[in-house]
Amino acid sequence: MRIRQLAVAVGLLGVLCVPAHAETRDLGRDTLPANDGWAAEGEGTTGGAAADAGRVYTVTDRAGLVRALDGGSDTPKIIRIAGTIDANTDDDGDRLDCADYATGGYSLKKYLAAYDPRTWGAAKPSGPQEEARQASAAKQAERIVLPVGSNTTIVGLGDKAVLKGASLQVRNADNVIIRNLELRDAYDCFPVWQPNTGGLGDWKAAYDNLWLAGATHVWVDHITASDRGHPDAKEPTYFARNYLRHDGLLDITNGSDLVTVSWSRFADHDKAMLIGNSDTATGDRGKLRVTLHHNAFESVVQRAPRVRFGQVHVYNNRYDITGDDYRYSLGVSTESRIHAENNAFHAPGHVEVADLVKSWNGSALHQSGTLFNGFPVDLLMIYNAYNSGSERDLTDDVGWTPVLHGPVDSAAAADRAVARGAGAGRIP
């Protein structure tokens, strides 16, 4: 048994160096098990497991978390989050709201008047109010964008660790673990109007709860990600479009590679997970290798996930579909190679099997063992039959077969296990 020091505080507000007692399992020292998805490729994913005692922190507020992250440095570190940390706070811990970030004369009322499509037209917003919006957004970003560097483990303590209002960003970093943490409400105070999106225009928010960009060897496990506190469904409508305040729950883009997402819960959101951000990003070929297993997607409208280019293994996941605005779950986009097996879908009466898949320039989808409301279905055959008049058929040959994975349970067994065990605070 490893002998550990007694917990000692180091005198930094919000940061404690607290090694665990010998008798207590230290989640911060856990590493990704062998063969557990794409993140186990090569040397695997160890995060900050090699951190020395001086680089093990327990943080209780934003200031402490920022110090522990060390500007996204590559030094091995373990960061334990205790309780709820709100990113929208000042250096003294006082709460900040959108009015505190507004600068340069920005106001939503003036912004709406300036860029009303009936008078502004279809041009990209420019001029004083857009400049003020950008300056205001930059002030918020200084507070809520938190960079995560290589060789880092971030783990929640206990079953109620929450990071609220933050956008964790793993950019061009390697060997990162994020576990046992609720990531809640990455709320954008200053969405931008995009006149030409979707033909009618749309609002675009800036922040994902967790964003992997150029990141490699990342293990995301037992997190819960949602818009809890500020659901977009309760936001007003401007220019006949919902005033969106959130982007993705977890986006994996810009050549990220070797990622495993396991036993996590993604809930109450529109666009949950994007893997590959552009049809023209041909440099992503051979990258974006991602494993998604034993995750719960609950009340998610779309992107669970949507994939471009990547080899993505989607197995033993549970989908609970609700609401009249549901669009699809599996998005098959340019050169995507999704290998989906033994997933369980629960849907209301107005959702059909063919609705579970949506294709944009996609050519292939491998699926097997799919359950729909408890009944086995051939998802690919039904999709092709239903859409044969409007979209090209998808083939079953995605050109690869997953080898890095644990036991693949039946969809029914996985369905029950995920319902009990996915999400923050549920690590066995």
Side-chain angles (χ1 to χ4, degrees):
M1 181 179 296
R2 197 184 315 178
I3 303 299
R4 307 296 302 274
Q5 297 176 337
L6 294 175
V8 293
V10 295
L12 292 176
L13 179 63
V15 183
L16 304 175
C17 290
V18 186
H21 293 290
E23 297 79 16
T24 304
R25 177 185 176 190
D26 185 356
L27 293 178
R29 299 288 178 182
D30 281 359
T31 61
L32 178 69
N35 298 315
D36 192 351
W38 274 117
E41 174 79 359
E43 296 181 358
T45 301
T46 60
D52 59 36
R55 290 283 182 169
V56 180
Y57 310 101
T58 296
V59 299
T60 59
D61 59 18
R62 179 194 173 278
L65 177 57
V66 167
R67 279 191 290 270
L69 287 168
D70 192 27
S73 76
D74 294 344
T75 305
K77 63 186 77 68
I78 297 170
I79 302 172
R80 301 166 177 156
I81 292 180
T84 297
I85 293 178
D86 190 342
N88 286 292
T89 51
D90 64 18
D91 292 340
D92 295 323
D94 294 327
R95 183 79 170 87
L96 299 172
D97 61 22
C98 293
D100 294 308
Y101 298 124
T103 190
Y106 173 86
S107 79
L108 178 58
K109 183 177 180 180
K110 292 179 181 178
Y111 191 88
L112 295 173
Y115 306 115
D116 188 324
R118 294 171 297 183
T119 54
W120 178 260
K124 182 179 178 180
S126 62
Q129 272 300 301
E130 172 58 16
E131 293 168 3
R133 187 204 64 80
Q134 293 179 19
S136 302
K139 284 186 66 176
Q140 186 185 18
E142 289 176 1
R143 290 278 105 188
I144 72 169
V145 173
L146 302 177
V148 181
S150 299
N151 309 311
T152 297
T153 291
I154 301 175
V155 61
L157 287 181
D159 58 2
K160 294 183 179 179
V162 177
L163 181 56
K164 176 183 176 182
S167 178
L168 277 182
Q169 298 190 0
V170 186
R171 304 186 67 176
N172 303 316
D174 177 69
N175 193 32
V176 173
I177 295 173
I178 300 172
R179 303 183 74 203
N180 197 44
L181 182 63
E182 181 179 351
L183 301 174
R184 182 191 303 172
D185 189 26
Y187 187 84
D188 188 350
C189 289
F190 308 100
V192 61
W193 173 244
Q194 297 181 322
N196 293 320
T197 301
L200 297 175
D202 212 347
W203 293 98
K204 171 65 175 174
Y207 308 116
D208 305 316
N209 288 22
L210 176 59
W211 182 28
L212 312 183
T216 53
H217 282 108
V218 180
W219 180 28
V220 178
D221 178 67
H222 279 93
I223 72 163
T224 295
S226 75
D227 300 341
R228 182 176 172 183
H230 288 100
D232 281 334
K234 292 187 177 180
E235 294 293 336
T237 297
Y238 298 124
F239 306 153
R241 306 295 271 178
N242 185 226
Y243 191 52
L244 295 175
R245 299 290 197 150
H246 304 91
D247 195 9
L249 293 177
L250 166 57
D251 280 5
I252 303 169
T253 65
N254 298 80
S256 291
D257 198 19
L258 305 177
V259 177
T260 297
V261 183
S262 57
W263 292 101
S264 292
R265 179 173 174 261
F266 302 93
D268 305 317
H269 188 81
D270 183 0
K271 301 171 182 176
M273 186 182 301
L274 180 66
I275 301 175
N277 57 303
S278 171
D279 290 344
T280 60
T282 55
D284 285 345
R285 289 172 178 149
K287 301 177 182 177
L288 297 173
R289 291 173 290 179
V290 179
T291 300
L292 307 176
H293 75 83
H294 294 93
N295 301 294
F297 295 91
E298 301 174 1
S299 299
V300 165
V301 175
Q302 58 186 313
R303 297 187 183 177
R306 177 178 177 179
V307 181
R308 296 178 175 95
F309 296 104
Q311 297 180 34
V312 180
H313 191 194
V314 182
Y315 76 91
N316 282 169
N317 299 286
R318 172 188 170 99
Y319 295 78
D320 281 306
I321 298 165
T322 63
D324 295 333
D325 56 349
Y326 174 74
R327 294 185 61 188
Y328 66 91
S329 293
L330 301 177
V332 182
S333 297
T334 301
E335 296 184 34
S336 64
R337 291 177 284 172
I338 300 173
H339 192 287
E341 55 182 324
N342 295 21
N343 298 293
F345 294 84
H346 303 268
H350 68 274
V351 175
E352 301 182 15
V353 173
D355 296 328
L356 305 180
V357 177
K358 175 68 176 175
S359 176
W360 300 261
N361 302 317
S363 61
L365 168 68
H366 175 89
Q367 74 82 41
S368 61
T370 303
L371 283 184
F372 183 78
N373 288 338
F375 293 93
V377 295
D378 188 327
L379 179 57
L380 184 62
M381 182 184 71
I382 294 172
Y383 171 82
N384 284 337
Y386 188 86
N387 293 283
S388 60
S390 57
E391 299 177 10
R392 68 177 177 179
D393 285 355
L394 299 175
T395 72
D396 185 62
D397 184 8
V398 293
W400 72 292
T401 301
V403 294
L404 284 171
H405 58 80
V408 179
D409 301 321
S410 70
D415 191 22
R416 294 189 296 269
V418 171
R420 292 191 305 266
R426 295 182 174 184
I427 295 181

